[in-house]
Amino acid sequence: MSNGSTPPTSRRPARTLLVVPAALAALCCAGCGAVGNGNGDGAASPARPGPERPAAAGSHTPDGRPTGQDETDGKHSDGDRSNGGKSDRDKGDEGRGGPLRGKVVLIDPGHNPGNRHHTAEIARKVDVGNARKECDTTGTSTNSGYAEASFTLDVARRARTLLQKEGVKVVFTQDGDRPYGPCVDERAEIGNDAHADAALSIHADGAGAGNRGFHVIRPGVVHSGGADTRKITGPSRDLADHLVGRFVAATGSAPANYIGNGKGLDTRTDLGGLNLSRVPKVFLECGNMRDAQDAARLTDPAWRQKAAVGITEGITGFLRN
């Protein structure tokens, strides 16, 4: 994972016929480039995989670009767009009509592609209620260099598009629109400020080879300092259950074989993104980037679309329940 712990919008600038060849060529490329692990909620314990792992170096993305090409230019994988001075992180994107109009979902694409260029800033400690942890981490990557931060943005943008079709207002914590971060405490606060009906932090794990599958991390009970999860643990467990069932159905992936006793569920009290949330929230580790079989899925745009479908169906099922 890589935490605490991101799908394209429909608004694009007009293009002329002169750029059609470039647009067609872009369709041949898969995903965004980047590197990353972990949850961003701090450094992961060596004995336990999960949200906060250090990044591994890689040379190229699966589509042949040098790792990091998309990480510093501030561009979106779906093309540049103007929000009139406001990013999606600030204002959210609301679907036009749809059965779930009026519902708000916070999507947190784990890490930020620019984090690796701001190691000092993301290393500073923040209060997560029951501890102090790093502001964020770089995340992990596949052995070939495809970054978790690129993966999370791509899947998050895809899910945003699908959720908007249901009428959901989608708020992002970051959309590749800031140099680094936000820190894990701010990621939680963005969901709180949006009064989200559900919040999801998207990640991919960085466990050892042979460890495969996805898992959903639920908040445990924390009542310490600025953290109080007692009101959200129940609905967060319900959200996790919906996600597990729909993610299996949509992607064909199995629950993790190395955590959660084969049920695809884990409970943690050390992640700031969960501890500080006042709205129902979970983390989704979509697979293990360091396992060849999982990596083949995570780097496949078609599978990432399936992941977005599973995420959308899990969230909408929870919202309708």
Side-chain angles (χ1 to χ4, degrees):
M1 165 187 241
S2 349
N3 139 322
S5 357
T6 141
T9 67
S10 60
R11 298 190 300 280
R12 297 181 175 82
R15 294 181 171 82
T16 67
L17 292 176
L18 294 177
V19 300
V20 169
L24 292 175
L27 292 176
C28 299
C29 296
C32 341
V35 280
N37 146 34
N39 270 348
D41 252 46
S45 165
R48 179 173 194 173
E52 312 87 70
R53 301 175 297 283
S59 56
H60 293 80
T61 63
D63 57 4
R65 293 192 307 275
T67 300
Q69 176 175 317
D70 291 340
E71 299 170 340
T72 59
D73 61 9
K75 294 180 180 178
H76 302 273
S77 64
D78 58 338
D80 296 330
R81 59 185 184 277
S82 170
N83 286 321
K86 275 194 170 185
S87 69
D88 294 327
R89 177 176 57 84
D90 296 321
K91 72 179 187 58
D93 280 340
E94 187 167 2
R96 298 292 182 263
L100 292 174
R101 184 169 179 81
K103 296 293 186 180
V104 179
V105 170
L106 182 282
I107 294 185
D108 174 29
H111 314 290
N112 182 320
N115 279 0
R116 70 191 188 104
H117 303 294
H118 295 273
T119 54
E121 290 90 342
I122 67 172
R124 72 180 180 85
K125 299 295 180 68
V126 298
D127 186 1
V128 299
N130 57 2
R132 292 186 65 80
K133 300 185 71 173
E134 287 80 359
C135 157
D136 201 1
T137 64
T138 57
T140 190
S141 69
T142 65
N143 293 334
S144 64
Y146 180 57
E148 180 188 8
S150 292
F151 169 82
T152 63
L153 272 174
D154 183 69
V155 173
R157 290 166 178 167
R158 293 171 186 268
R160 174 171 59 194
T161 298
L162 297 174
L163 285 165
Q164 287 173 336
K165 291 179 179 178
E166 298 291 327
V168 174
K169 177 180 178 180
V170 180
V171 177
F172 269 28
T173 57
Q174 59 92 13
D175 196 3
D177 53 357
R178 54 191 296 166
Y180 65 91
C183 295
V184 296
D185 54 346
E186 184 183 351
R187 288 174 185 262
E189 194 59 30
I190 292 170
N192 296 339
D193 289 345
H195 303 288
D197 297 287
L200 172 67
S201 188
I202 300 175
H203 289 270
D205 215 344
N211 295 320
R212 302 188 188 100
F214 76 93
H215 65 280
V216 179
I217 302 173
R218 311 168 296 190
V221 175
V222 177
H223 185 209
S224 176
D228 187 353
T229 63
R230 291 174 295 178
K231 291 183 179 179
I232 69 163
T233 52
S236 296
R237 287 173 180 268
D238 189 24
L239 173 59
D241 289 341
H242 278 84
L243 279 168
V244 168
R246 298 316 305 164
F247 202 78
V248 168
T251 66
S253 292
N257 64 5
Y258 62 100
I259 194 168
N261 298 316
K263 296 181 179 179
L265 294 167
D266 188 26
T267 301
R268 293 179 63 169
T269 59
D270 62 324
L271 301 179
L274 297 180
N275 289 359
L276 300 175
S277 181
R278 297 192 298 274
V279 301
K281 184 174 182 179
V282 297
F283 280 31
L284 171 63
E285 296 281 2
C286 296
N288 178 20
M289 301 198 96
R290 293 314 183 85
D291 176 77
Q293 291 186 30
D294 271 10
R297 291 183 168 189
L298 298 170
T299 56
D300 177 10
W303 187 90
R304 293 198 297 270
Q305 184 64 26
K306 293 178 182 179
V309 170
I311 287 169
T312 300
E313 292 181 350
I315 291 175
T316 57
F318 168 77
L319 294 177
R320 291 186 177 103
N321 190 29

